[in-house]
Amino acid sequence: MAASSFADRLNEQIAYEFAASQQYVAVAVHYDAETLPRLAAFFYRQAVEERNHAMMMVQYLLDAGDQPRIPGVEAPRTEFADVVEPVALALDQERRVSGQIGALAQAARDAGDYAGEQFMQWFIKEQVEEVSSMSALLAVAERLRDKPMDIEEYLAREAVVQEAIDPTAPPAAGGAL
Ligand SMILES: [Fe+2]
Ligand SMILES: [Fe+2]
């Protein structure tokens, strides 16, 4: 059945979002242990966002009458050579997810699943923002790789423009954190 194949793929995506969340927790803890609290805070917050993405997908499946399957996730990477490597890993991850989200929107469209296609629109916009902010952070981290305190300074300044609650975000199962 066409519609359930979109549901199956969305279920797979739940695993990728939880895995992204775990990876960002691992990156945050790494920076925290290095006494880089702004970098840690940035990734702790990203971890919560990824968790919320997973729970939005869970809620969508519940609403659509499909049984969400909560997955186990692979262990994240926890060892990093320098201050730049985790950000480069994060950007790779965001680019990969952008491809996955695009493929999901395509699968919904191919199945004639308009509700599914509409659901994916918010994630498409979200990925544009996440790739953009991670690209900016990578550029800064590469420029300042020998001065991590200056990266901290940058994040302290940029934190002022932290995103407010997005009223267009899909509801998350149990409520967004
Ligand atoms: Fe995500
Ligand atoms: Fe993300």
Side-chain angles (χ1 to χ4, degrees), residues 17 20-21 24 46-47 49-50 53 90 93-95 97-98 126-127 129-131 134:
E17 300 292 335
S21 182
Y24 286 156
Q46 288 301 126
E49 280 191 20
E50 301 302 347
H53 294 166
Q93 179 170 285
E94 291 301 338
R95 287 196 170 128
V97 170
S98 292
E126 175 72 4
Q127 282 311 119
E129 288 167 13
E130 300 223 316
V131 167
M134 210 59 83

Side-chain angles (χ1 to χ4, degrees), residues 11 61-62 65-69:
N11 242 304
L61 289 171
L62 285 169
D66 290 299
Q67 178 71 44
R69 294 183 305 274

Side-chain angles (χ1 to χ4, degrees), residues 5 9 21 32 37 41 46 54-55 57 60 63 73 89 92 100 117 124 132-133 136-137 144 162 164:
S5 99
R9 295 187 64 161
S21 182
D32 223 349
Q46 288 301 126
M55 296 303 266
M57 293 170 183
Y60 180 83
D63 289 343
V73 298
L89 177 92
D92 278 353
Q100 291 163 347
E117 188 180 348
I124 293 170
S132 162
S133 72
L137 182 58
L144 301 171
Q162 246 169 53

Side-chain angles (χ1 to χ4, degrees), residues 12-122:
E12 282 170 27
Q13 191 65 31
I14 290 171
Y16 301 144
E17 300 292 335
F18 277 127
S21 182
Q22 287 293 91
Q23 184 60 70
Y24 286 156
V25 170
V27 167
V29 167
H30 166 79
Y31 283 132
D32 223 349
E34 300 278 313
T35 322
L36 293 166
R38 297 287 180 173
L39 277 159
F42 178 86
F43 281 99
Y44 283 128
R45 198 169 54 245
Q46 288 301 126
V48 171
E49 280 191 20
E50 301 302 347
R51 177 265 182 205
N52 286 340
H53 294 166
M55 296 303 266
M56 289 170 189
M57 293 170 183
V58 168
Q59 185 63 54
Y60 180 83
L61 289 171
L62 285 169
D63 289 343
D66 290 299
Q67 178 71 44
R69 294 183 305 274
I70 302 306
V73 298
E74 271 184 48
R77 201 165 135 203
T78 55
E79 305 282 338
F80 303 99
D82 60 19
V83 73
V84 175
E85 212 173 63
V87 185
L89 177 92
L91 179 57
D92 278 353
Q93 179 170 285
E94 291 301 338
R95 287 196 170 128
R96 193 167 58 245
V97 170
S98 292
Q100 291 163 347
I101 295 293
L104 271 163
Q106 186 69 52
R109 177 174 296 187
D110 291 347
D113 181 348
Y114 300 115
E117 188 180 348
Q118 187 184 47
F119 174 68
M120 294 315 300
Q121 298 306 308
W122 183 85

Side-chain angles (χ1 to χ4, degrees), residues 38-39 42 137 150-160:
R38 297 287 180 173
L39 277 159
F42 178 86
L137 182 58
D150 287 2
I151 307 175
E152 291 280 289
E153 195 67 29
Y154 164 81
L155 283 171
R157 272 199 319 273
E158 292 300 303
V160 193

